[in-house]
Amino acid sequence: IDEGRKQDPLLKSEGPVWTRTLAKGNKQKACAEVADVLRLWNASRIVVGHTVQRRGVETRCSGRLVMADTGISEHYGGRASAVELVDG
């Protein structure tokens, strides 16, 4: 990754693309961070991967955080899954 991308807040090691804190961390702290990210991006939800959810796609923070990594690779033995956004 070039230096500019390393500095991108989305791609840094604790940014929402890579961190597992939103999916596994303290719920109150994670949901406060989700609220901050959503406010910054003017968004209503964030969909993340990188942390396998064994029971399928799950949500936190009153549905504002969608955890979509269901471990579909052979290594995890998960099943194929998808997130469908309907009406936004």
Side-chain angles (χ1 to χ4, degrees):
I1 299 177
D2 65 47
E3 285 304 311
R5 290 177 54 107
K6 284 183 184 177
Q7 301 305 315
D8 186 321
L10 295 175
L11 300 176
K12 64 184 183 177
S13 64
E14 288 303 313
V17 170
W18 290 109
T19 186
R20 288 186 165 93
T21 303
L22 300 178
K24 296 178 100 174
N26 172 280
K27 187 175 181 178
Q28 185 175 358
K29 184 178 177 185
C31 291
E33 188 170 337
V34 166
D36 288 345
V37 168
L38 295 177
R39 195 171 19 262
L40 179 67
W41 291 344
N42 192 31
S44 57
R45 275 176 216 87
I46 182 171
V47 179
V48 298
H50 195 60
T51 304
V52 174
Q53 305 301 304
R54 300 266 184 211
R55 295 179 298 212
V57 175
E58 296 195 39
T59 64
R60 276 184 112 179
C61 309
S62 301
R64 294 182 311 224
L65 174 65
V66 180
M67 299 170 293
D69 186 340
T70 58
I72 65 173
S73 74
E74 262 185 59
H75 175 76
Y76 292 106
R79 62 182 186 275
S81 57
V83 173
E84 178 182 10
L85 300 177
V86 179
D87 295 326

